[in-house]
Amino acid sequence: MKLLHHPDRKDIMLTSVLYALSDPVRLQMVAQMHSTGEQPCKDFDVPIAKSTLSQHARTLREAGITHTRTLGTQRLLSLRTDDLNARFPGLLDAVLRGFDLQRREAAADAEPAEPAQP
Amino acid sequence: MKLLHHPDRKDIMLTSVLYALSDPVRLQMVAQMHSTGEQPCKDFDVPIAKSTLSQHARTLREAGITHTRTLGTQRLLSLRTDDLNARFPGLLDAVLRGFDLQRREAAADAEPAEPAQP
DNA sequence: TCAATTGTTCGTTGATTAACGAACTATAGA
DNA sequence: TCTATAGTTCGTTAATCAACGAACAATTGA
């Protein structure tokens, strides 16, 4: 079994975090972990090959955004919420909120009018 | 004279903003605009060629982070604070605060002890 | 008009990136 | 032990990126 490197809290770099979050696939993964909690790679709802997903998971882990633990054949990913909040207060929340606002707006734009009962 | 494209507020994308902020040079530029206000390219305190700086300025502008206006031969850059706060509430502040926290910590680490009179 | 200042554009280079499939590792369960 | 499942690693490809210098454009001021 391979041991996975996670950076210490103090070594989490702002530019690395912002870069990791700037990819649509990774941002989606982060949003999903935030709403659903810890989950295995296979449950991420992203339309990419598993090798690509594995690489994205690594990018998030090495940036200090996620923690990965092994359970059987699975790798369970979760957000390092406390570490991120301690190091960059308010950043994760602002990103997640921005992601949600943007998503809502896109959904609203797709509808022609405000339907009473959709 | 060339006219510069600035995206509408509604077209500012989260991933583009995060990406633009994930480069150390651009992040430094943003921090400087935040503390010093509007300023011309030549006043940015970054150790790069002016052609490179010009490209970074373009990246920031096209991501919707900065506004650029022309004054004589100069291009004055300023943060689109209101637009960013409206679209992604708290994001810019969190990034700027995180940048400052990280900078302070790095400075503290460089000092061996707490000198009374440095 | 001419020179200096400020910034942009262009072409190049080397590095990095996201994507994929194939091959591999490791564990769980039959 | 054998098979299925879950991920990782590797090699490749096409695209993008940051950096630079040279050449260009636009404006100011002498």
Side-chain angles (χ1 to χ4, degrees):
Chain A
M1 151 148 138
K2 219 40 183 315
L3 70 132
L4 304 168
H5 179 250
H6 294 82
D8 288 348
R9 174 187 288 188
K10 67 173 173 17
D11 295 324
I12 300 177
M13 302 303 292
L14 181 56
T15 51
S16 304
V17 169
L18 294 173
Y19 178 77
L21 295 174
S22 74
D23 180 271
V25 170
R26 291 190 294 260
L27 189 51
Q28 162 70 31
M29 292 169 69
V30 168
Q32 194 170 331
M33 280 183 276
H34 178 248
S35 57
T36 315
E38 187 184 51
Q39 66 193 281
C41 289
K42 74 177 179 73
D43 285 3
F44 284 108
D45 188 23
V46 289
I48 54 175
K50 69 175 181 171
S51 58
T52 308
L53 179 59
S54 181
Q55 288 305 317
H56 282 307
R58 190 163 83 104
T59 300
L60 288 171
R61 176 172 49 78
E62 291 183 344
I65 295 172
T66 55
H67 182 264
T68 304
R69 71 186 180 97
T70 301
L71 183 66
T73 66
Q74 300 189 134
R75 294 290 171 88
L76 296 169
L77 305 211
S78 56
L79 287 178
R80 292 177 63 177
T81 311
D82 291 349
D83 288 330
L84 290 170
N85 287 342
R87 185 129 173 86
F88 307 121
L91 180 60
L92 184 60
D93 284 348
V95 170
L96 288 167
R97 189 171 164 212
F99 180 80
D100 206 54
L101 284 170
Q102 186 174 284
R103 198 179 50 72
R104 282 173 205 276
E105 195 210 73
D109 285 356
E111 295 169 14
E114 199 77 15
Q117 312 294 336
Chain B
M1 150 149 134
K2 218 43 180 321
L3 69 132
L4 304 169
H5 180 250
H6 293 82
D8 289 347
R9 174 187 289 189
K10 66 172 172 20
D11 294 326
I12 300 177
M13 302 302 291
L14 180 57
T15 51
S16 304
V17 168
L18 294 173
Y19 179 77
L21 294 174
S22 75
D23 180 89
V25 170
R26 291 191 294 261
L27 188 53
Q28 162 72 31
M29 291 169 70
V30 167
Q32 194 169 331
M33 280 183 276
H34 177 248
S35 58
T36 315
E38 187 184 51
Q39 64 194 279
C41 288
K42 74 177 178 73
D43 285 3
F44 284 107
D45 189 24
V46 289
I48 53 175
K50 67 176 182 171
S51 58
T52 307
L53 179 58
S54 181
Q55 288 305 317
H56 282 307
R58 190 162 83 104
T59 300
L60 288 170
R61 176 170 50 77
E62 291 182 345
I65 294 172
T66 55
H67 183 264
T68 304
R69 69 185 180 98
T70 301
L71 183 68
T73 65
Q74 301 189 135
R75 293 288 172 89
L76 295 169
L77 305 211
S78 56
L79 287 178
R80 292 178 62 178
T81 310
D82 291 350
D83 287 331
L84 289 170
N85 286 342
R87 186 130 172 85
F88 307 121
L91 179 61
L92 183 60
D93 284 348
V95 170
L96 289 166
R97 190 172 163 213
F99 180 80
D100 205 53
L101 284 170
Q102 186 174 284
R103 196 177 52 71
R104 281 174 207 275
E105 195 210 73
D109 284 356
E111 294 169 14
E114 200 75 15
Q117 313 293 334

